[in-house]
Amino acid sequence: MARFIVIDRAKGRVYGDTARYGRAGNVISPADAAYLIDRRLGRAERGFGYVSRHSESASYDVFEVPSSSPDLARSSEA
């Protein structure tokens, strides 16, 4: 499955990384990633829609991180 990193657009800080949640972090879409992180942080459920990457309506930027094989993983991927 994909790994996603969610960045708060207003603050420029990393909101969460699905890799931190082990098997639970195996999500398939950016919306699933943001929902998982909200749920794990105990935040209220909310809806997520898809908007253009150039839209001013988005609260988060979500990046998919390509997976690498374990023998090629760098220490920063831990």
Side-chain angles (χ1 to χ4, degrees):
M1 292 289 176
R3 173 185 176 190
F4 295 92
I5 294 177
V6 181
I7 298 177
D8 185 313
R9 191 177 266 190
K11 297 177 184 175
R13 294 189 176 137
V14 173
Y15 181 63
D17 181 345
T18 59
R20 297 182 137 214
Y21 302 110
R23 295 180 67 84
N26 290 337
V27 296
I28 59 173
S29 75
D32 292 339
Y35 176 74
L36 168 72
I37 293 166
D38 274 352
R39 190 174 69 232
R40 293 292 178 140
L41 293 175
R43 302 228 165 120
E45 290 184 22
R46 54 186 160 162
F48 292 95
Y50 293 95
V51 297
S52 164
R53 78 175 108 208
H54 304 294
S55 172
E56 296 299 319
S57 300
S59 300
Y60 300 101
D61 288 316
V62 182
F63 299 94
E64 183 173 351
V65 179
S67 60
S68 59
S69 64
D71 56 330
L72 298 176
R74 297 181 307 267
S75 61
S76 61
E77 292 179 325

